């Protein structure tokens, strides 16, 4: 048979038909919303480079967590912004540090109604802004950092977190975290490994949100954007070390990597639609150049289509509400 007998457009004729034959759908339960909580705030504070995103107070964080649960999102990823920092990032390990306090707050508020996750990295807590401990000459000390990550993981698990997200791209970080959690009796706490995290220019607005003190760059531990095979090796190592889930970050510029990782592993694959991806869409929409809601859903669908089962996105709550209206 040939044209005009074969007419693929028949399956695009109406919205109902298009819904019926849609190959890829995003579900609210697959979305995770990143949230920032800043020590000492009494009211939430807007992040200028991330329109609609807030640095929360402890009270507003609890309310936002309830809103996320009501929207049906699958999880919340927590980031802490401390009032002070030091060379070793001790505030991330302190049981009374802002991130660990926030974990307890959110767990008390929503319990097991959603998956409460926490960023496991020192960069928000160090005075130099790097993801690990430094040697006297200023290099990031991989093995000393693993020890800090292990203590940080136990502190977060003691606070009640369901999933820890080691994001520093230190060699051996997943194994060190898994061993520490198990030794402390937290065998049920899951590890979402930032297995593929590129040294990306798309992280800029995030650094505003956490008030990063970064000096220099992170090219010695985050990955070269040119490399794919290296990413698959990182994923293989993290799964072997005990990762329950693996993540690719950023998402949209690396959809080929998401697809390759999905094909390589049998654990859930996540992708983080990072701050720069979000901010570009918001800026274009504010100028009237694009249809904002349509582009939001198009970007999320593309990440899902590439193979990510879990998507971290600042639009998670809004997208969940839009999806409920659509379906």
């Amino acid at each position: 048979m040939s044209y005009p007998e074969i007419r693929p457009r028949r399956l695009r004729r109406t919205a109902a038909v298009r819904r019926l034959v849609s190959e890829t759908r995003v579900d609210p339960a697959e979305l995770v919303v990143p949230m920032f909580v800043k020590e000492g705030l009494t009211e939430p504070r807007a992040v200028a480079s991330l329109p609609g995103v807030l640095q929360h107070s402890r009270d507003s964080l609890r309310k936002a967590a309830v809103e996320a649960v009501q929207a049906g999102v699958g999880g919340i990823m927590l980031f802490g912004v401390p009032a002070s920092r030091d060379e070793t990032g001790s505030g991330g390990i302190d049981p009374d540090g802002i991130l660990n306090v926030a974990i307890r707050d959110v767990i008390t508020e929503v319990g097991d109604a959603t998956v409460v996750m926490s960023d496991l990295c020192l960069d928000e807590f160090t005075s130099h802004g790097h993801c690990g401990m430094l040697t006297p000459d200023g290099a990031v000390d991989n093995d000393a950092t693993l020890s800090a990550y292990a203590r940080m993981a136990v502190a977060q698990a003691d606070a009640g977190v369901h999933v820890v997200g080691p994001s520093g791209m230190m060699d051996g970080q997943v194994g060190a975290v898994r061993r520490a959690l198990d030794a402390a009796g937290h065998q049920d706490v899951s590890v979402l490994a930032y297995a593929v995290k590129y040294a990306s220019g798309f992280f800029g607005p995030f650094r505003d949100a956490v008030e990063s003190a970064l000096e220099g760059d992170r090219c010695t531990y985050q990955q070269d954007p040119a490399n794919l095979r290296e990413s698959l090796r990182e994923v293989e190592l993290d799964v072997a070390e005990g990762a329950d889930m693996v993540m690719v970050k950023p998402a949209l510029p690396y959809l080929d990597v998401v697809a390759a990782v999905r094909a390589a592993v049998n654990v859930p694959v996540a992708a983080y639609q990072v701050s720069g991806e979000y901010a570009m869409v918001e800026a274009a929409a504010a100028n009237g150049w694009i249809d904002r809601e349509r582009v939001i859903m198009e970007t999320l669908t593309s990440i899902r289509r590439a193979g990510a089962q879990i998507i971290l996105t600042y639009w998670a709550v809004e997208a969940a509400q839009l999806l409920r209206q659509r379906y």
Side-chain angles (χ1 to χ4, degrees), residues 250-256 272-274 277 281 298-300 302-303:
L252 290 176
Y254 300 95
L255 293 182
D256 61 323
Y272 196 143
Q273 187 178 46
V274 300
E277 299 172 57
V281 172
E298 189 173 340
T299 62
L300 294 175
S302 73
I303 298 167

Side-chain angles (χ1 to χ4, degrees), residues 77 165 167 192-197 235 245-249 261 268-272 310 312:
M77 175 65 81
S167 62
L192 168 59
Y194 286 60
V196 181
K197 185 176 180 181
V235 167
M245 301 171 276
V246 295
M247 184 151 67
V248 177
K249 180 179 181 180
V261 170
V269 174
Y272 196 143
I310 302 163
L312 281 75

Side-chain angles (χ1 to χ4, degrees), residues 49 56 66 70 94 99 101 108 184 243 250 257 296 309 319:
S49 57
H56 284 286
V66 170
Q70 291 172 341
D94 183 354
L99 181 53
V101 168
T108 299
V257 180
I296 288 171
Q309 179 179 340

Side-chain angles (χ1 to χ4, degrees), residues 128-309:
H128 46 75
H130 279 288
C131 296
M133 315 286 269
L134 299 186
T135 63
D137 63 359
V140 175
D141 187 328
N142 191 96
D143 293 1
T145 300
L146 296 185
S147 177
Y149 284 1
R151 297 195 302 275
M152 194 172 184
V154 173
Q156 293 179 357
D158 286 345
V161 80
H162 301 131
V163 178
V164 295
S167 62
M169 291 300 292
M170 297 295 120
D171 293 339
Q173 64 183 13
V174 172
V177 165
R178 183 73 270 163
R179 288 190 296 272
L181 290 171
D182 290 352
H186 292 299
Q187 294 90 344
D188 291 338
V189 173
S190 299
V191 177
L192 168 59
Y194 286 60
V196 181
K197 185 176 180 181
Y198 287 96
S200 173
F202 285 90
F203 297 151
F206 174 90
R207 291 172 184 166
D208 291 341
V210 298
E211 300 177 9
S212 174
L214 180 63
E215 301 168 3
D217 60 46
R218 295 172 177 152
C219 292
T220 63
Y221 46 102
Q222 294 178 353
Q223 288 179 256
D224 183 345
N227 293 354
L228 171 58
R229 290 189 298 273
E230 180 186 36
S231 298
L232 298 180
R233 185 183 186 206
E234 290 279 4
V235 167
E236 180 183 11
L237 290 168
D238 281 358
V239 171
E241 290 175 22
D244 299 288
M245 301 171 276
V246 295
M247 184 151 67
V248 177
K249 180 179 181 180
L252 290 176
Y254 300 95
L255 293 182
D256 61 323
V257 180
V258 174
V261 170
R262 173 67 286 163
V265 300
N266 292 314
V267 299
V269 174
Y272 196 143
Q273 187 178 46
V274 300
S275 59
E277 299 172 57
Y278 172 95
M280 288 192 302
V281 172
E282 290 290 345
N287 279 283
W289 297 335
I290 58 173
D291 180 330
R292 179 179 175 276
E293 289 185 1
R294 183 174 179 178
V295 170
I296 288 171
M297 298 314 302
E298 189 173 340
T299 62
L300 294 175
T301 300
S302 73
I303 298 167
R304 184 69 182 87
R305 189 183 64 245
Q309 179 179 340

Side-chain angles (χ1 to χ4, degrees), residues 21-160:
V21 300
S22 178
E23 298 175 22
T24 303
R25 289 195 177 134
V26 180
D27 190 280
E30 299 170 337
L31 303 178
V32 175
V33 56
M35 292 187 181
F36 305 98
V37 57
K38 179 174 170 59
E39 187 175 11
L41 285 187
T42 56
E43 297 290 337
R45 178 184 297 168
V47 180
S49 57
L50 285 171
V53 176
L54 303 173
Q55 287 182 329
H56 284 286
S57 67
R58 288 178 61 188
D59 284 341
S60 71
L61 178 68
R62 286 191 286 263
K63 293 174 184 176
V66 170
E67 179 186 7
V69 169
Q70 291 172 341
V73 303
I76 300 168
M77 175 65 81
L78 297 173
F79 296 87
V81 185
S84 61
R85 297 172 165 90
D86 58 29
E87 284 290 307
T88 62
S90 62
I93 299 167
D94 183 354
D96 294 319
I98 184 58
L99 181 53
N100 295 320
V101 168
I103 293 168
R104 290 197 292 271
D105 286 344
V106 172
I107 289 290
T108 299
E109 197 69 37
V110 303
D112 294 335
T114 193
V115 180
V116 180
M117 307 177 177
S118 53
D119 183 58
L120 201 169
C121 194
L122 295 177
D123 60 323
E124 292 108 275
F125 300 94
T126 54
S127 54
H128 46 75
H130 279 288
C131 296
M133 315 286 269
L134 299 186
T135 63
D137 63 359
V140 175
D141 187 328
N142 191 96
D143 293 1
T145 300
L146 296 185
S147 177
Y149 284 1
R151 297 195 302 275
M152 194 172 184
V154 173
Q156 293 179 357
D158 286 345

